[in-house]
Amino acid sequence: MPLIDRYGRPIVNLRITLTHKCNYRCIYCHMEGEEKALEELTPEEIERIARVAVKIGISKVKLTGGEPLIREDIGEIVRRLSHINGMEEVSMTTNGSLLKEKVKELAKANLKRINVNIPSLREETYKYITNSEYSPKQIIEGVMEAKKLGINPVKVNMVILRGVNDDQIDEMITFTRKNDLILQLIELENVGIDEETYSKYHADISSIEEKIKNEAEKVIVRRDMQNRRKYILKGGGEVEIVNPYENGSFCSACTRIRLTADGKIKPCLMRNDNLIDIKNLLRNNLDEYELMKLFVKAIEGREPYWKRRVTP
Ligand code: SAM
C-alpha cells in the first residue's frame, strides 16, 4: 500500500536524477528544479534507496538528468532497479542522442518505457533549441530501435516554445502517428530558466489543446499522471497535454517524489526549501529503517505548489 500525504495523494512514483552532466544545452532546461551538483550516487546507493522506496509503496521509478545515458553504468542502474522485488516499472527520459548505441543494453536490463525529447523534426530548429551536435534524424534512429526491441510505450516530449516550434505541432503529430509513438505536448515551465527566456518563449498550451480536442474522438483523463489528458485522434495517434499551470489540478494529482543527483529527497519540482539530504547518512551506513523514516518525513511535508492558476 502506498503512503498517502496530507492532501490525499498516494506516492507511487520516484523520479531519480542520475547526473547533472548533459551533452545538450537546451534553451528551456529546468534541470529538474535542482541546483547544479557535481556529485552523483553510485548504482549500489541508488538501489539501496529504491529498495526502501518500494517498502513504503513506491512501485515506479523514472530516471532522468542531465542526460541519464551519459552515465557509463546506466545499464547496471536499470538492471539493479528493475530487479527489486515489488518494482513494477523502470522508465527513463532522455534526449535520445546515445539511445541507438545503448538501447540493447537498456532493453536487456528491463527498461519498460521511455520518453525521448524531440522538440523539433527540423534540423535548424532542433539545433537552435538543443545547442547540440546531434540531428533529429539520429535521435529517431534510436527511437525506432527502442520500439523494435519492445520498449513500450515510446513517448516523444515536445516542449512548446512560442515562435520557435509552435508552428510544427501538426508535423510532429503526423510523425508520431505514423510511427506509433505517443506525443506529449508540454507547456514551458518557469523553473531553472531566467524570466527573460520564459517570457520570450512561453506559450499558453490551452489554445493548442482546444485544437487537438476538436480533432479527437476520445479523451482519457490520467488521474494517476497529474490529471494529464490524453487525446485519441480521429485519424489515429495519441497526444497528451502536460500543463503544469492548470488551476491546481496538476499538483492535486501529483503522486511523485524525487531524488536529486547528489542524494537529496526532493518532494516537489518547484521547491528547494524542503529537501532532505540522505547521501552522507547513507554513506555512514544509515540503516533501512532510518532511511524509511526520512522518506515518510518528506512525504508528510508535501504541499501542492500550484494552488491557483498562475499567469506570467
Ligand atoms: N536530458 C533528458 C531529456 O532531454 O529528456 C532528461 C532531462 S530533461 C530536464 C527532462 C524533460 O524535462 C525533457 O524531456 C523536457 O521535456 C522537460 N523539460 C525540461 N525543461 C523544461 C521546462 N522549462 N518546462 C517544461 N518541461 C521541461
Side-chain angles (χ1 to χ4, degrees), residues 15 21-24 26-33 63-68 92-96 115-118 157-160 184 186-193 198 242 244-245 269:
R15 188 164 172 115
K21 294 189 195 118
C22 193
N23 52 352
Y24 281 32
C26 296
I27 52 179
Y28 52 69
C29 185
H30 61 23
M31 287 269 299
E32 301 293 340
L63 304 174
T64 182
E67 176 46 44
M92 179 183 293
T93 169
T94 169
N95 60 33
N115 285 54
V116 185
N117 190 23
I118 313 182
N157 284 11
M158 183 183 193
V159 178
I160 304 300
Q184 282 199 341
I186 304 171
E187 181 159 335
L188 181 69
E189 281 180 86
N190 193 6
V191 186
I193 52 174
Y198 179 70
V242 184
Y245 296 119
L269 166 75

